[in-house]
Amino acid sequence: MFTIRHYSKRFLTRSIIFRPLSVGITNRQKTNEEFQPTINLIKEDLHLINRDILQHLRCYEEELNELAKYHFDTKGKLIRPMIICTMARSFNQQEDNFLHENQRSIATLGEMIHTASLIHDDVVDSSDRRRGKPAAANRWGPRKAVLAGDYILGIASIMLARIGNSDVISLLSRVIQDLVRGEFMQLSTKESDAEQFQDYLNKTFCKTASLFANTCKAVALLGNLSNININQLADYAYEFGKNFGMAFQLIDDLLDVTATDDDLGKPATADLKLGLSTAPVLFASQQFPELQTLILRRFSESGDIERALELIDQSDGKARTYHLAEQYANEACRILNNFPQSLNGSNRFLKFLIYLTQSTLKRRH
Ligand code: FPP
Ligand code: MG
């Protein structure tokens, strides 16, 4: 499904000087001053998105109301709406400061689909914590949590239908389909190591990159760029989102074996505990074949997780995972070269997308 092209980093280094920072925009983070006006615009978008989510989810059933809104708090990184709004604005070149209501709706309902999937995921994974607090399933029980996820999905579907564009409806429906396929895929482990890595990449696309890819394409189609190549440009937006999403998830998988519970706001080494093999352990198994036995029995025996972590540490699994994330991130940035110059020549949204892409490689949670 994926071909990673090897190419030089010249494009990145000549475009911008990157500083390490986390992805979310918060006041305490140092950001490149060049981006401050852009960040202020996107922050305003995020504020409206948060407001819209709470308004749309409102219902008369008090407990459902509370439960549905529970995970939409300030602890989320909001990286999805941030990328979607920035991509959307880059497609509105006639009016540099403009974000169409339908484009903002995509960011809003994209975040709703994502959060609904996390609420369900915590039930599937029997996970107690999410975004630094008890998971909804932990507080209300799995039955109510699943229903709340369904409810959020229902509201997101109404918003999607109101946009009234059948291509966009297909793209966002594909996201939901992929989320379920990805979650389903990880319930079993492939026999051979070659199959395991391909399965891991496919699952990563489905669970994470598909949402970035399809929402980026949707806002591109909903933009006001008058260009006869709009379908081609929308495909580039998709490719950007796909590569960004792959890089984002690879870093997530790396953090799972390097960060602490507190850093993540959820239990670390959760993947191994769930029996899941992600890039660090799959790469490590190429150096230490004894890991295959542990991978195939999904780290189910006492001492398996500790041994896997030891071998990951001794291997170059973490470095190779980071390197692969870097390749996807570089590819995401390279694709932005295909986008047209903005009318005022600033290309500030494209530069900000590059900045966010590089920042995702440096994040700590
Ligand atoms: C997080 O995975 C989970 C997802 C990104 C997708 C989960 C999808 C479903 C449960 C299918 C149902 C979908 C919808 C739209 C209701 P993770 O366990 O790797 O990450 P975590 O550490 O954040 O839990
Ligand atoms: Mg989980």
Side-chain angles (χ1 to χ4, degrees):
M1 188 184 281
F2 300 102
T3 44
I4 310 270
R5 267 166 282 180
H6 295 268
Y7 50 89
S8 88
K9 290 184 192 158
R10 252 181 312 133
F11 168 66
L12 293 177
T13 43
R14 69 159 189 255
S15 307
I16 232 162
I17 299 193
F18 301 105
R19 290 190 188 165
L21 85 171
S22 306
V23 161
I25 301 174
T26 66
N27 289 331
R28 73 200 145 74
Q29 284 159 353
K30 281 186 200 152
T31 47
N32 195 324
E33 266 175 34
E34 179 190 352
F35 295 115
Q36 209 48 56
T38 309
I39 287 171
N40 291 343
L41 269 181
I42 304 293
K43 257 185 173 175
E44 183 58 24
D45 294 340
L46 299 184
H47 172 75
L48 295 176
I49 286 167
N50 265 329
R51 183 205 63 185
D52 289 352
I53 289 176
L54 298 182
Q55 269 176 12
H56 283 290
L57 290 178
R58 222 181 272 161
C59 69
Y60 289 115
E61 293 73 23
E62 219 172 277
E63 197 180 17
L64 181 56
N65 200 21
E66 193 191 348
L67 212 173
K69 291 175 181 170
Y70 177 68
H71 276 306
F72 294 102
D73 60 10
T74 47
K75 285 275 163 59
K77 291 186 279 285
L78 294 179
I79 181 62
R80 289 160 185 80
M82 210 182 301
I83 291 284
I84 298 167
C85 291
T86 310
M87 178 61 80
R89 283 177 178 276
S90 80
F91 270 82
N92 293 341
Q93 298 194 356
Q94 279 85 348
E95 297 161 87
D96 196 27
N97 286 340
F98 182 71
L99 181 68
H100 194 282
E101 206 177 309
N102 283 341
Q103 291 175 311
R104 198 174 76 227
S105 277
I106 295 293
T108 307
L109 67 92
E111 186 63 12
M112 290 165 85
I113 292 172
H114 168 61
T115 304
S117 81
L118 295 182
I119 294 173
H120 282 192
D121 176 70
D122 288 336
V123 175
V124 176
D125 291 352
S126 308
S127 183
D128 285 349
R129 293 191 73 71
R130 168 73 60 194
R131 295 177 177 170
K133 59 185 188 179
N138 183 9
R139 221 179 118 176
W140 280 272
R143 287 189 301 180
K144 286 182 177 171
V146 167
L147 292 173
D150 291 343
Y151 172 75
I152 296 168
L153 218 48
I155 302 285
S157 306
I158 295 171
M159 292 174 67
L160 181 58
R162 282 193 185 134
I163 293 174
N165 176 316
S166 60
D167 289 336
V168 167
I169 292 174
S170 295
L171 293 171
L172 271 289
S173 304
R174 175 58 62 88
V175 171
I176 298 173
Q177 181 193 16
D178 284 343
L179 283 167
V180 176
R181 286 178 57 222
E183 189 80 348
F184 201 84
M185 267 182 222
Q186 74 176 27
L187 295 178
S188 53
T189 306
K190 295 275 185 225
E191 290 290 321
S192 78
D193 49 0
E195 275 183 314
Q196 283 161 7
F197 210 89
Q198 191 53 52
D199 197 53
Y200 165 71
L201 291 179
N202 291 345
K203 184 216 73 180
T204 302
F205 172 79
C206 287
K207 279 185 63 182
T208 307
S210 170
L211 193 150
F212 284 105
N214 285 294
T215 53
C216 280
K217 182 167 179 176
V219 292
L221 292 175
L222 292 169
N224 65 8
L225 192 65
S226 48
N227 189 312
I228 47 166
N229 290 327
I230 186 65
N231 286 327
Q232 168 79 74
L233 291 174
D235 285 341
Y236 287 138
Y238 177 98
E239 288 298 317
F240 168 83
K242 181 180 91 178
N243 283 281
F244 176 91
M246 295 300 289
F248 183 82
Q249 188 57 47
L250 279 157
I251 295 297
D252 225 59
D253 295 343
L254 183 58
L255 287 172
D256 195 63
V257 292
T258 55
T260 63
D261 293 13
D262 280 349
D263 288 337
L264 300 176
K266 59 186 181 185
T269 61
D271 294 333
L272 295 174
K273 286 173 195 152
L274 285 168
L276 306 180
S277 296
T278 62
V281 74
L282 291 173
F283 279 131
S285 78
Q286 293 173 8
Q287 259 173 294
F288 296 102
E290 74 166 274
L291 273 170
Q292 268 303 315
T293 314
L294 280 58
I295 288 170
L296 289 172
R297 65 177 182 231
R298 293 174 74 92
F299 315 101
S300 55
E301 293 191 7
S302 151
D304 279 1
I305 292 176
E306 292 71 18
R307 182 68 185 143
L309 286 169
E310 244 170 58
L311 292 176
I312 292 171
D313 278 344
Q314 288 169 32
S315 75
D316 57 9
K318 292 180 196 172
R320 287 179 74 188
T321 302
Y322 186 82
H323 181 62
L324 185 57
E326 224 177 14
Q327 284 182 291
Y328 278 112
N330 289 348
E331 178 67 358
C333 294
R334 194 193 62 76
I335 286 160
L336 296 177
N337 276 328
N338 297 310
F339 285 42
Q341 297 281 310
S342 70
L343 286 188
N344 65 15
S346 80
N347 287 323
R348 61 176 170 147
F349 297 112
L350 296 183
K351 286 182 188 168
F352 191 52
L353 284 174
I354 294 174
Y355 180 70
L356 290 173
T357 306
Q358 290 303 309
S359 299
T360 208
L361 295 175
K362 308 279 190 298
R363 69 199 176 93
R364 299 276 171 272
H365 56 86

